[in-house]
Every structure is written in structure tokens, then in C-alpha cells.
Amino acid sequence: MEKKNKVTMSDIAREAGVSQATVSLILNNSRSVKLSEETRQRVFSTALSLGYKKMPAPHNDNGQEEIALLVNAMPSYDPFVDALSEAREAAWRHDTLLTVYDYGDEAELAVRIIAQLNQRRCAGIIIASPITQSIDFSPFANQTQLPVVLLNVYDRAFPLLPTFLPDDRANALQITRHLIDQGATRIAHIMGDNWMEACEMRLEGYREALTQAGMPQDEQLVQATNWSLNETYRATLELMKVPEPPDAIFCSSDWMTIGCYQALTELHLRIPQDILVAGYDDQRIADQMTPKLTSVQLPYYELGRMAVEYLCSGEDAATRVIMAGKLKIRASTAG
């Protein structure tokens, strides 16, 4: 009997020519990110044509039973897990339990969770995302009297909400300055999805470093991708075809640099002897690549701890923390 293949979001993303993150946002009907109606319709049409069906059951207005998920460890494959791990430790130091709920960017589900938290002994609520991004806080604004803080997300319409964020602009500026200090004069930047404000902030930091150094900005050296290895591989090959190819490449994530390394190896270019490469977010793979990858470590430990300590201390002042990370210099830029 032939096994039926399940249609996944990755399948839809590949057919529609967008990232998996974009597909997830659209199919979950999220409006937290501004995407064109044409993109939304293309994803919906592609999903239908591939036979993807997600039919949520109607929800019980009288509330749901709670299931607690207890995990004995949080593997740090994504740097944001550091924020959760440190938040858990900080809460325990304050004799408080941290419970984690995944609401899948569905505001209705998050409102249901908050309603149940209102009935329990809860010191406060942290709304967070592994992706630094703006959210629409308005669905939650009048749902609870509990203190609320935002971690790795923000809403400019609610400037008094305590907010804890990494500084993408400053981090990208750090990396680009380092490449300049290493003697690079033609620095390329491979972005992720350009609808993500975090990517735009990294691009701003890259450009600001070039401006401060009095270096020209060549738009041929900026490539947008959908975060995938294939796209980064393609972008790297395109960069090396320009009349004056780059002598350094700054990728918007460590994961993307795998595709970059593959392309440079195919072109018989050595890292760092022929070209410097730097990543972003200091994932565990950075220290395991050959050569080891220069990256910037995001301050998620500190931000997770501060978010919890803000709630445990009973603070009520408006707080907005935007923190730069630490540059980790390794062999990929030690040319």
C-alpha cells in the first residue's frame, strides 16, 4: 500500500516561494506582521491546491481543562531557549514557578489562557516570541489585572508596557565594524525575510557601520532570502558574480552561514584566507563549524532573567530594556 504523504508548511512555502515562517503566520491568520494581500492569497491558494487542510474544532466558551507539560531539560538549539531557561531559574530563586504556554500566535487561544491565569495565584504574565517582532497587544489589553511584560516582542501602541528586547541594530553594527577592523573593504550582507523588522534593524546596523567608516554602500552586496540554506547558497553565488565581489559576508543568522560556507567551498574560496564570514545569534553550531564561526551572542539569558525579576519585585514603573549582545570572534574572521 502506498504511503500517503502529508502536506506540510514547508511544502507550501516551497511552492508559494515564501518562507515557512510566512506560511505559518498566514495560515494561523496572524496580523502581527504586515504582509501583502497578494502574498496571503498566494499562500492560501497554494495550500488548497496541495490539499492542505487545517480545520480547528469549535472552542468551548466555558473554559478548557489544563494539561501541564513538564520537560526535564530545554535543549538550546534556538538561542531564545536561553531566555526560557534563565527565566525558569530566576523564578525558582524567587520561590515562583514558571509555566510555559505555546499559543501559536492565535490571539483567541492566548486570551483563553489569560482567563484561566486570572483564576489562579499568578504573579504576572510574560508574552514572548522566539523571533524578535512587533505584536498586536490590543486583544490582551483589557483581559487581566495581572502585571504583563513583553519579552522579545513589542507594540509601539503600548509604550508603557515593560518590554525587554535585544538590540538588533547595535548587534549588526558590532559585527560589521569587526569585519572593517579586520581589513574588509567590500562587505556583503545576506538578510532573512525583509518583512521582519528584526532583519531591517540588522540591515540598518550594517549600513550605519559602513557610513561611520566612510565606506560606500553598494546595493549589489545586499541579498534578501527566506532564511533557507538553499537561498543563502544561491545568494552567496550571486554575490561572488558581481564585478567587484565582496571580501567579507555577514549573514543574518548562524544557520544561514551553512549555505554560505557550501557555496564558497564550491567556488574553491577559503575562509578566512580568501573571504571573511560572520553570522548572527551565536547558535551552538557556530562553535562546531569549520572554521569556527564569528557571531554575536544575543542577551537572552539577561533579558529572560530581567523579565522575571521585574514581575517578582512588584515593579510598576514603565521599563523598556534594549540590550546589545556580545561579539564572539572565532576563526572565520581571523584572517
Side-chain angles (χ1 to χ4, degrees):
M1 180 177 179
E2 185 178 351
K3 184 178 179 181
K4 182 179 180 181
N5 292 325
K6 180 181 179 182
V7 177
T8 67
M9 288 189 182
S10 296
D11 298 327
I12 299 168
R14 185 166 50 252
E15 287 293 321
V18 298
S19 70
Q20 185 174 337
T22 299
V23 173
S24 178
L25 288 169
I26 292 173
L27 294 185
N28 284 308
N29 204 28
S30 170
R31 296 285 172 174
S32 61
V33 174
K34 292 181 179 178
L35 297 169
S36 71
E37 194 58 33
E38 186 275 332
T39 299
R40 291 182 182 275
Q41 291 304 318
R42 186 166 78 252
V43 169
F44 280 127
S45 298
T46 302
L48 287 172
S49 68
L50 292 176
Y52 182 86
K53 294 181 180 179
K54 184 181 179 182
M55 302 297 293
H59 299 300
N60 181 359
D61 289 334
N62 296 323
Q64 290 76 35
E65 290 183 334
E66 182 174 350
I67 296 176
L69 175 65
L70 280 68
V71 183
N72 66 353
M74 298 287 283
S76 297
Y77 299 127
D78 189 304
F80 183 72
V81 174
D82 292 342
L84 301 183
S85 297
E86 187 58 27
R88 179 202 65 218
E89 293 291 337
W92 189 235
R93 288 195 296 270
H94 287 271
D95 197 27
T96 303
L97 300 178
L98 178 74
T99 55
V100 178
Y101 297 86
D102 181 355
Y103 73 97
D105 207 26
E106 281 194 47
E108 180 189 353
L109 175 56
V111 168
R112 299 294 181 93
I113 293 170
I114 291 171
Q116 293 208 20
L117 294 174
N118 287 333
Q119 308 302 315
R120 301 204 295 271
R121 292 182 60 197
C122 185
I125 297 170
I126 301 173
I127 297 178
S129 167
I131 300 173
T132 308
Q133 63 179 313
S134 64
I135 62 167
D136 179 8
F137 182 74
S138 58
F140 317 129
N142 300 311
Q143 299 298 323
T144 184
Q145 295 300 311
L146 294 168
V148 177
V149 304
L150 304 183
L151 174 60
N152 210 34
V153 295
Y154 56 92
D155 186 340
R156 291 194 177 90
F158 292 84
L160 300 182
L161 269 178
T163 303
F164 300 86
L165 295 167
D167 193 334
D168 283 300
R169 184 175 179 277
N171 291 335
L173 188 144
Q174 276 192 83
I175 292 174
T176 310
R177 274 184 179 173
H178 166 67
L179 294 172
I180 293 170
D181 291 342
Q182 292 300 102
T185 59
R186 295 273 295 167
I187 303 172
H189 179 42
I190 301 180
M191 302 172 57
D193 278 311
N194 54 17
W195 56 258
M196 291 179 61
E197 190 165 342
C199 285
E200 290 297 323
M201 295 302 290
R202 293 170 202 181
L203 179 61
E204 284 186 18
Y206 157 79
R207 286 177 168 159
E208 179 60 25
L210 296 181
T211 299
Q212 290 179 5
M215 296 171 63
Q217 297 190 24
D218 186 345
E219 290 306 311
Q220 292 183 97
L221 298 183
V222 177
Q223 290 273 333
T225 73
N226 63 5
W227 298 105
S228 72
L229 301 188
N230 288 341
E231 279 287 292
T232 308
Y233 170 85
R234 177 202 58 77
T236 303
L237 294 180
E238 289 298 316
L239 287 169
M240 303 315 295
K241 289 178 183 176
V242 302
E244 293 182 66
D247 53 9
I249 299 177
F250 161 35
C251 295
S252 267
S253 82
D254 293 347
W255 171 251
M256 295 168 68
T257 61
I258 297 174
C260 180
Y261 271 42
Q262 290 173 338
L264 294 175
T265 298
E266 183 175 297
L267 295 172
H268 305 291
L269 293 172
R270 300 166 299 164
I271 307 169
Q273 294 90 338
D274 301 321
I275 187 166
L276 309 180
V277 178
Y280 190 98
D281 59 33
D282 199 39
Q283 296 184 31
R284 284 189 173 182
I285 60 170
D287 198 45
Q288 298 173 11
M289 296 177 68
T290 304
K292 294 184 178 183
L293 179 66
T294 292
S295 189
V296 63
Q297 183 183 69
L298 301 184
Y300 283 139
Y301 276 113
E302 295 85 351
L303 294 172
R305 173 181 52 78
M306 287 189 289
V308 166
E309 290 183 345
Y310 179 94
L311 294 173
C312 290
S313 65
E315 291 283 349
D316 59 3
T319 298
R320 187 176 180 87
V321 175
I322 303 177
M323 182 178 290
K326 297 177 183 177
L327 185 64
K328 297 291 186 178
I329 300 173
R330 300 188 179 95
S332 69
T333 61

PDB file of all heavy atoms in Angstrom, residues 1 16 36 38 47 54 69 93 117 144 149 186-187 190-192 204 227 230-231 284 312:
ATOM      1  N   MET A   1       0.853  -1.198   0.000  1.00  0.00           N
ATOM      2  CA  MET A   1       0.000   0.000   0.000  1.00  0.00           C
ATOM      3  C   MET A   1       0.883   1.241   0.000  1.00  0.00           C
ATOM      4  O   MET A   1       1.813   1.365   0.798  1.00  0.00           O
ATOM      5  CB  MET A   1      -0.891  -0.004   1.243  1.00  0.00           C
ATOM      6  CG  MET A   1      -1.810   1.204   1.335  1.00  0.00           C
ATOM      7  SD  MET A   1      -2.900   1.094   2.792  1.00  0.00           S
ATOM      8  CE  MET A   1      -3.775   2.615   2.625  1.00  0.00           C
ATOM      9  N   ALA A  16       4.927  28.230  -2.933  1.00  0.00           N
ATOM     10  CA  ALA A  16       4.491  29.637  -2.989  1.00  0.00           C
ATOM     11  C   ALA A  16       5.654  30.606  -3.091  1.00  0.00           C
ATOM     12  O   ALA A  16       5.448  31.799  -3.315  1.00  0.00           O
ATOM     13  CB  ALA A  16       3.645  29.956  -1.753  1.00  0.00           C
ATOM     14  N   SER A  36       1.506  41.515   2.324  1.00  0.00           N
ATOM     15  CA  SER A  36       0.598  41.950   1.271  1.00  0.00           C
ATOM     16  C   SER A  36      -0.538  40.958   1.099  1.00  0.00           C
ATOM     17  O   SER A  36      -0.391  39.758   1.352  1.00  0.00           O
ATOM     18  CB  SER A  36       1.363  42.110  -0.042  1.00  0.00           C
ATOM     19  OG  SER A  36       1.723  40.844  -0.554  1.00  0.00           O
ATOM     20  N   GLU A  38      -1.705  40.035  -1.660  1.00  0.00           N
ATOM     21  CA  GLU A  38      -1.328  39.138  -2.751  1.00  0.00           C
ATOM     22  C   GLU A  38      -0.559  37.931  -2.207  1.00  0.00           C
ATOM     23  O   GLU A  38      -0.798  36.795  -2.621  1.00  0.00           O
ATOM     24  CB  GLU A  38      -0.464  39.897  -3.763  1.00  0.00           C
ATOM     25  CG  GLU A  38      -0.129  39.095  -5.027  1.00  0.00           C
ATOM     26  CD  GLU A  38       1.104  38.204  -4.852  1.00  0.00           C
ATOM     27  OE1 GLU A  38       1.974  38.571  -4.043  1.00  0.00           O
ATOM     28  OE2 GLU A  38       1.165  37.143  -5.503  1.00  0.00           O
ATOM     29  N   ALA A  47      -1.923  26.349  -0.607  1.00  0.00           N
ATOM     30  CA  ALA A  47      -2.308  25.362   0.405  1.00  0.00           C
ATOM     31  C   ALA A  47      -3.501  24.536  -0.064  1.00  0.00           C
ATOM     32  O   ALA A  47      -3.522  23.307   0.084  1.00  0.00           O
ATOM     33  CB  ALA A  47      -2.627  26.070   1.721  1.00  0.00           C
ATOM     34  N   LYS A  54      -6.601  22.523   7.455  1.00  0.00           N
ATOM     35  CA  LYS A  54      -6.482  22.713   8.905  1.00  0.00           C
ATOM     36  C   LYS A  54      -7.826  23.205   9.398  1.00  0.00           C
ATOM     37  O   LYS A  54      -8.150  24.381   9.276  1.00  0.00           O
ATOM     38  CB  LYS A  54      -5.379  23.729   9.226  1.00  0.00           C
ATOM     39  CG  LYS A  54      -5.143  23.904  10.720  1.00  0.00           C
ATOM     40  CD  LYS A  54      -4.062  24.929  10.979  1.00  0.00           C
ATOM     41  CE  LYS A  54      -3.846  25.126  12.468  1.00  0.00           C
ATOM     42  NZ  LYS A  54      -2.828  26.154  12.757  1.00  0.00           N
ATOM     43  N   LEU A  69       2.723  20.523  30.719  1.00  0.00           N
ATOM     44  CA  LEU A  69       3.824  19.839  30.036  1.00  0.00           C
ATOM     45  C   LEU A  69       5.086  20.039  30.862  1.00  0.00           C
ATOM     46  O   LEU A  69       5.558  21.168  31.016  1.00  0.00           O
ATOM     47  CB  LEU A  69       4.013  20.402  28.628  1.00  0.00           C
ATOM     48  CG  LEU A  69       5.212  19.861  27.841  1.00  0.00           C
ATOM     49  CD1 LEU A  69       5.025  18.379  27.573  1.00  0.00           C
ATOM     50  CD2 LEU A  69       5.374  20.624  26.545  1.00  0.00           C
ATOM     51  N   ARG A  93      14.440  30.967  41.974  1.00  0.00           N
ATOM     52  CA  ARG A  93      15.183  31.689  43.018  1.00  0.00           C
ATOM     53  C   ARG A  93      14.259  32.577  43.838  1.00  0.00           C
ATOM     54  O   ARG A  93      14.533  32.879  44.996  1.00  0.00           O
ATOM     55  CB  ARG A  93      16.305  32.539  42.404  1.00  0.00           C
ATOM     56  CG  ARG A  93      17.492  31.736  41.879  1.00  0.00           C
ATOM     57  CD  ARG A  93      18.704  32.625  41.618  1.00  0.00           C
ATOM     58  NE  ARG A  93      18.461  33.596  40.561  1.00  0.00           N
ATOM     59  CZ  ARG A  93      18.699  33.384  39.286  1.00  0.00           C
ATOM     60  NH1 ARG A  93      19.161  32.197  38.882  1.00  0.00           N
ATOM     61  NH2 ARG A  93      18.470  34.317  38.384  1.00  0.00           N
ATOM     62  N   LEU A 117      -5.472  32.015  33.897  1.00  0.00           N
ATOM     63  CA  LEU A 117      -4.467  32.522  34.821  1.00  0.00           C
ATOM     64  C   LEU A 117      -5.063  33.507  35.820  1.00  0.00           C
ATOM     65  O   LEU A 117      -4.602  33.612  36.956  1.00  0.00           O
ATOM     66  CB  LEU A 117      -3.327  33.188  34.040  1.00  0.00           C
ATOM     67  CG  LEU A 117      -2.475  32.257  33.170  1.00  0.00           C
ATOM     68  CD1 LEU A 117      -1.489  33.060  32.346  1.00  0.00           C
ATOM     69  CD2 LEU A 117      -1.748  31.233  34.022  1.00  0.00           C
ATOM     70  N   THR A 144      -6.887  41.239  31.740  1.00  0.00           N
ATOM     71  CA  THR A 144      -6.363  40.871  33.053  1.00  0.00           C
ATOM     72  C   THR A 144      -5.904  42.093  33.824  1.00  0.00           C
ATOM     73  O   THR A 144      -5.534  43.110  33.238  1.00  0.00           O
ATOM     74  CB  THR A 144      -5.181  39.881  32.900  1.00  0.00           C
ATOM     75  OG1 THR A 144      -4.751  39.453  34.184  1.00  0.00           O
ATOM     76  CG2 THR A 144      -4.017  40.507  32.157  1.00  0.00           C
ATOM     77  N   VAL A 149       4.460  41.741  31.049  1.00  0.00           N
ATOM     78  CA  VAL A 149       5.667  42.253  30.413  1.00  0.00           C
ATOM     79  C   VAL A 149       5.835  41.557  29.065  1.00  0.00           C
ATOM     80  O   VAL A 149       5.312  40.457  28.849  1.00  0.00           O
ATOM     81  CB  VAL A 149       6.930  42.045  31.285  1.00  0.00           C
ATOM     82  CG1 VAL A 149       6.759  42.672  32.653  1.00  0.00           C
ATOM     83  CG2 VAL A 149       7.291  40.583  31.407  1.00  0.00           C
ATOM     84  N   ARG A 186      34.876  45.393   1.131  1.00  0.00           N
ATOM     85  CA  ARG A 186      33.662  45.104   0.357  1.00  0.00           C
ATOM     86  C   ARG A 186      32.861  44.089   1.158  1.00  0.00           C
ATOM     87  O   ARG A 186      33.029  42.876   1.022  1.00  0.00           O
ATOM     88  CB  ARG A 186      34.014  44.549  -1.022  1.00  0.00           C
ATOM     89  CG  ARG A 186      34.745  45.519  -1.929  1.00  0.00           C
ATOM     90  CD  ARG A 186      33.779  46.377  -2.708  1.00  0.00           C
ATOM     91  NE  ARG A 186      32.978  45.599  -3.632  1.00  0.00           N
ATOM     92  CZ  ARG A 186      31.891  46.081  -4.256  1.00  0.00           C
ATOM     93  NH1 ARG A 186      31.465  47.306  -4.008  1.00  0.00           N
ATOM     94  NH2 ARG A 186      31.219  45.315  -5.096  1.00  0.00           N
ATOM     95  N   ILE A 187      31.985  44.582   2.022  1.00  0.00           N
ATOM     96  CA  ILE A 187      31.258  43.714   2.949  1.00  0.00           C
ATOM     97  C   ILE A 187      29.842  43.509   2.436  1.00  0.00           C
ATOM     98  O   ILE A 187      29.091  44.463   2.238  1.00  0.00           O
ATOM     99  CB  ILE A 187      31.230  44.318   4.370  1.00  0.00           C
ATOM    100  CG1 ILE A 187      32.657  44.551   4.862  1.00  0.00           C
ATOM    101  CG2 ILE A 187      30.468  43.397   5.328  1.00  0.00           C
ATOM    102  CD1 ILE A 187      32.732  45.309   6.173  1.00  0.00           C
ATOM    103  N   ILE A 190      23.745  39.201   3.806  1.00  0.00           N
ATOM    104  CA  ILE A 190      22.668  38.311   3.381  1.00  0.00           C
ATOM    105  C   ILE A 190      21.589  38.362   4.455  1.00  0.00           C
ATOM    106  O   ILE A 190      21.802  37.929   5.587  1.00  0.00           O
ATOM    107  CB  ILE A 190      23.164  36.873   3.162  1.00  0.00           C
ATOM    108  CG1 ILE A 190      24.274  36.857   2.100  1.00  0.00           C
ATOM    109  CG2 ILE A 190      22.002  35.983   2.723  1.00  0.00           C
ATOM    110  CD1 ILE A 190      24.834  35.470   1.812  1.00  0.00           C
ATOM    111  N   MET A 191      20.419  38.897   4.080  1.00  0.00           N
ATOM    112  CA  MET A 191      19.313  39.078   5.004  1.00  0.00           C
ATOM    113  C   MET A 191      18.419  37.839   5.049  1.00  0.00           C
ATOM    114  O   MET A 191      18.525  36.950   4.218  1.00  0.00           O
ATOM    115  CB  MET A 191      18.442  40.271   4.569  1.00  0.00           C
ATOM    116  CG  MET A 191      19.147  41.598   4.466  1.00  0.00           C
ATOM    117  SD  MET A 191      18.050  42.838   3.735  1.00  0.00           S
ATOM    118  CE  MET A 191      16.640  42.810   4.859  1.00  0.00           C
ATOM    119  N   GLY A 192      17.509  37.840   6.019  1.00  0.00           N
ATOM    120  CA  GLY A 192      16.412  36.888   6.023  1.00  0.00           C
ATOM    121  C   GLY A 192      15.221  37.522   5.323  1.00  0.00           C
ATOM    122  O   GLY A 192      15.384  38.319   4.382  1.00  0.00           O
ATOM    123  N   GLU A 204      20.003  48.033   8.985  1.00  0.00           N
ATOM    124  CA  GLU A 204      20.345  49.401   9.395  1.00  0.00           C
ATOM    125  C   GLU A 204      21.691  49.451  10.109  1.00  0.00           C
ATOM    126  O   GLU A 204      22.503  50.352   9.880  1.00  0.00           O
ATOM    127  CB  GLU A 204      19.259  49.974  10.319  1.00  0.00           C
ATOM    128  CG  GLU A 204      17.998  50.398   9.607  1.00  0.00           C
ATOM    129  CD  GLU A 204      17.027  51.083  10.549  1.00  0.00           C
ATOM    130  OE1 GLU A 204      17.456  51.533  11.634  1.00  0.00           O
ATOM    131  OE2 GLU A 204      15.839  51.167  10.202  1.00  0.00           O
ATOM    132  N   TRP A 227      15.627  32.776   4.630  1.00  0.00           N
ATOM    133  CA  TRP A 227      16.325  32.109   5.735  1.00  0.00           C
ATOM    134  C   TRP A 227      16.829  30.709   5.377  1.00  0.00           C
ATOM    135  O   TRP A 227      17.593  30.130   6.145  1.00  0.00           O
ATOM    136  CB  TRP A 227      15.445  31.975   6.986  1.00  0.00           C
ATOM    137  CG  TRP A 227      14.988  33.235   7.609  1.00  0.00           C
ATOM    138  CD1 TRP A 227      13.738  33.766   7.535  1.00  0.00           C
ATOM    139  CD2 TRP A 227      15.765  34.132   8.409  1.00  0.00           C
ATOM    140  NE1 TRP A 227      13.678  34.942   8.249  1.00  0.00           N
ATOM    141  CE2 TRP A 227      14.906  35.190   8.796  1.00  0.00           C
ATOM    142  CE3 TRP A 227      17.083  34.145   8.847  1.00  0.00           C
ATOM    143  CZ2 TRP A 227      15.338  36.255   9.596  1.00  0.00           C
ATOM    144  CZ3 TRP A 227      17.516  35.200   9.635  1.00  0.00           C
ATOM    145  CH2 TRP A 227      16.643  36.237  10.006  1.00  0.00           C
ATOM    146  N   ASN A 230      19.289  26.802   1.007  1.00  0.00           N
ATOM    147  CA  ASN A 230      19.336  26.889  -0.451  1.00  0.00           C
ATOM    148  C   ASN A 230      19.372  28.338  -0.918  1.00  0.00           C
ATOM    149  O   ASN A 230      20.118  28.689  -1.838  1.00  0.00           O
ATOM    150  CB  ASN A 230      18.129  26.176  -1.067  1.00  0.00           C
ATOM    151  CG  ASN A 230      18.222  24.675  -0.952  1.00  0.00           C
ATOM    152  OD1 ASN A 230      19.302  24.136  -0.736  1.00  0.00           O
ATOM    153  ND2 ASN A 230      17.092  23.989  -1.095  1.00  0.00           N
ATOM    154  N   GLU A 231      18.546  29.177  -0.285  1.00  0.00           N
ATOM    155  CA  GLU A 231      18.519  30.593  -0.662  1.00  0.00           C
ATOM    156  C   GLU A 231      19.840  31.283  -0.323  1.00  0.00           C
ATOM    157  O   GLU A 231      20.322  32.127  -1.076  1.00  0.00           O
ATOM    158  CB  GLU A 231      17.367  31.291   0.050  1.00  0.00           C
ATOM    159  CG  GLU A 231      16.016  31.090  -0.614  1.00  0.00           C
ATOM    160  CD  GLU A 231      15.902  31.884  -1.902  1.00  0.00           C
ATOM    161  OE1 GLU A 231      15.866  33.125  -1.831  1.00  0.00           O
ATOM    162  OE2 GLU A 231      15.853  31.262  -2.980  1.00  0.00           O
ATOM    163  N   ARG A 284      24.664  27.068  18.758  1.00  0.00           N
ATOM    164  CA  ARG A 284      25.687  26.077  19.096  1.00  0.00           C
ATOM    165  C   ARG A 284      26.516  25.646  17.895  1.00  0.00           C
ATOM    166  O   ARG A 284      27.686  25.296  18.021  1.00  0.00           O
ATOM    167  CB  ARG A 284      25.018  24.843  19.714  1.00  0.00           C
ATOM    168  CG  ARG A 284      24.588  25.070  21.152  1.00  0.00           C
ATOM    169  CD  ARG A 284      24.148  23.777  21.789  1.00  0.00           C
ATOM    170  NE  ARG A 284      23.880  23.941  23.210  1.00  0.00           N
ATOM    171  CZ  ARG A 284      23.508  22.962  24.014  1.00  0.00           C
ATOM    172  NH1 ARG A 284      23.352  21.736  23.538  1.00  0.00           N
ATOM    173  NH2 ARG A 284      23.290  23.192  25.297  1.00  0.00           N
ATOM    174  N   CYS A 312       8.623  39.635  39.796  1.00  0.00           N
ATOM    175  CA  CYS A 312       8.767  39.163  41.177  1.00  0.00           C
ATOM    176  C   CYS A 312       9.008  40.305  42.159  1.00  0.00           C
ATOM    177  O   CYS A 312       8.655  40.200  43.335  1.00  0.00           O
ATOM    178  CB  CYS A 312       9.910  38.150  41.270  1.00  0.00           C
ATOM    179  SG  CYS A 312       9.552  36.566  40.481  1.00  0.00           S
TER     180      CYS A 312
END
